[in-house]
Amino acid sequence: MRPGINSDQTERIIQALKRAGYQATPNRRLVAELVAATGGHFTAAELLERGRRERVNIGRATVFRALELLASLRVVERLDLPSGSHAYVVCDPDEHHHHLVCSTCGRSEDIADGELARLVDEIGRRNGYRIEAHRLELFGICPACSAADTAERETLA
Amino acid sequence: MRPGINSDQTERIIQALKRAGYQATPNRRLVAELVAATGGHFTAAELLERGRRERVNIGRATVFRALELLASLRVVERLDLPSGSHAYVVCDPDEHHHHLVCSTCGRSEDIADGELARLVDEIGRRNGYRIEAHRLELFGICPACSAADTAERETLA
DNA sequence: TCGGAATTGATACCCGGTCTCATTGGTGAT
DNA sequence: ATCACCAATGAGACCGGGTATCAATTCCGA
């Protein structure tokens, strides 16, 4: 992990906590760091495991609570993978967006809503629904994994 | 429930099962009927409960298995509600589509992919991802619930 | 009618997440 | 510095949705 980049992000998360009136306790700092240290998605169980490597006594509930808190601040978002399981991703709390997730390495990109808003409006109008929320999730192979994949294929051939 | 409409749909589900080489057992017929009898989404637990009202000894696993089977045939799809819980909806197995779900009554409409495909392509290209799957979910208030809501509001006023 | 495969029910289990509750720690007013 | 109080924590029980196991049944084709 590149310290410069991630400690920035850690700090941003901590600030978000404080701004919302929550304490920046050591546990929450730890979770913030771990979250910031992943470029992609992670499960609660993974995070817990990583957390326990640094602070043995951190409770399962504490990790879930921290994640829930971060989710409520929109610093983190929970996504539903095609497999049916859940994962969390760090993301930009400031604007409505969607996620593009690499199914190989788990890396995730924020996608601006863009034209989708128009499309969603139109669908609502056409069906007479008052739309309250929408969610778009994209899954695929990221450039790096794509490259790695073809490289491997070539070595085998 | 209107027999004409739903027995058609029940039959379609049964046919799909047979076509795929599965037996149309009494249990599966029951599940098919129950599924067809709902206009909107339902949880596995609800379905089980309704099932037990008609056939006391139907097992929980059997219901889950039937649902899983129908899902694999794309007759039914599992969706992730904003609340985080899961629900199932009946839907058209023949073409890729998305769902518009009423958050009040649970009714659900199939939405054709339409322009979305183009948008998805473009996002993939822009990010260098090879997109494998995408999912759009819309939540809102259906016309009927909207109407009921304003009606109630007026009586109160 | 028979034999093997498919289906079933009961039940134990698993996993992600939440609840409870007693303890600990932090914070702000004094 | 002290104290009172609320926020946060850990342990562990609990819960809900779903799956695995396994023996008993049912179905279907020969």
Side-chain angles (χ1 to χ4, degrees), chain A residues 5-155:
Chain A
I5 295 172
N6 291 316
S7 55
D8 272 15
Q9 191 159 33
T10 306
E11 219 33 56
R12 235 182 298 137
I13 298 177
I14 303 287
Q15 290 315 319
L17 274 173
K18 289 190 180 164
R19 220 177 312 121
Y22 296 100
Q23 292 174 197
T25 65
N27 276 328
R28 289 182 182 159
R29 276 178 189 282
L30 175 57
V31 170
E33 278 163 31
L34 294 174
V35 162
T38 67
H41 63 201
F42 53 90
T43 65
E46 278 161 29
L47 202 80
L48 177 60
E49 192 199 333
R50 288 198 279 142
R52 288 229 161 124
R53 280 207 280 273
E54 319 237 338
R55 194 188 323 304
V56 180
N57 272 344
I58 190 170
R60 210 164 79 96
T62 303
V63 168
F64 275 104
R65 283 188 284 236
L67 246 20
E68 185 191 349
L69 197 52
L70 296 185
S72 79
L73 299 176
R74 298 174 186 289
V75 160
V76 137
E77 208 165 296
R78 198 157 87 177
L79 19 115
D80 304 288
L81 304 181
S83 69
S85 55
H86 288 163
Y88 298 82
V89 279
V90 219
C91 59
D92 176 358
D94 294 330
E95 72 176 309
H96 174 63
H97 63 272
H98 304 280
H99 294 279
L100 168 55
V101 180
C102 175
S103 13
T104 302
C105 68
R107 185 176 134 193
S108 136
E109 325 273 344
D110 287 7
I111 302 295
D113 196 76
E115 292 181 62
L116 187 58
R118 215 203 66 242
L119 198 58
V120 166
D121 267 13
E122 196 182 312
I123 293 172
R125 210 168 334 106
R126 206 147 51 202
N127 291 272
Y129 276 60
R130 189 163 65 240
I131 306 277
E132 295 180 315
H134 69 273
R135 182 165 58 179
L136 175 67
E137 283 168 1
L138 305 168
F139 304 93
I141 312 285
C142 77
C145 288
S146 242
D149 188 49
T150 50
E152 190 183 333
R153 223 177 281 269
E154 274 162 22
T155 343

Side-chain angles (χ1 to χ4, degrees), chain B residues 68-87:
Chain B
E68 185 190 352
L69 197 52
L70 296 184
S72 78
L73 300 176
R74 298 174 185 290
V75 160
V76 136
E77 209 164 297
R78 198 157 90 175
L79 16 117
D80 304 287
L81 272 12
S83 68
S85 56
H86 289 163

Side-chain angles (χ1 to χ4, degrees), chain B residues 5-103:
Chain B
I5 296 171
N6 290 316
S7 56
D8 271 16
Q9 192 159 31
T10 306
E11 218 34 55
R12 235 182 299 138
I13 298 177
I14 302 288
Q15 290 316 318
L17 274 173
K18 289 189 180 167
R19 219 176 313 122
Y22 297 101
Q23 297 178 16
T25 66
N27 276 329
R28 290 183 183 159
R29 277 177 189 281
L30 175 57
V31 170
E33 279 164 30
L34 294 173
V35 162
T38 66
H41 64 199
F42 53 90
T43 65
E46 278 161 29
L47 202 79
L48 177 61
E49 193 199 333
R50 288 198 280 141
R52 290 231 160 121
R53 280 207 281 272
E54 319 234 339
R55 193 189 326 299
V56 179
N57 272 345
I58 189 169
R60 206 165 82 98
T62 303
V63 168
F64 276 103
R65 283 189 284 236
L67 247 19
E68 185 190 352
L69 197 52
L70 296 184
S72 78
L73 300 176
R74 298 174 185 290
V75 160
V76 136
E77 209 164 297
R78 198 157 90 175
L79 16 117
D80 304 287
L81 272 12
S83 68
S85 56
H86 289 163
Y88 298 82
V89 278
V90 219
C91 59
D92 177 358
D94 295 329
E95 72 176 310
H96 174 64
H97 63 273
H98 303 280
H99 294 279
L100 168 53
V101 179
C102 175
S103 13

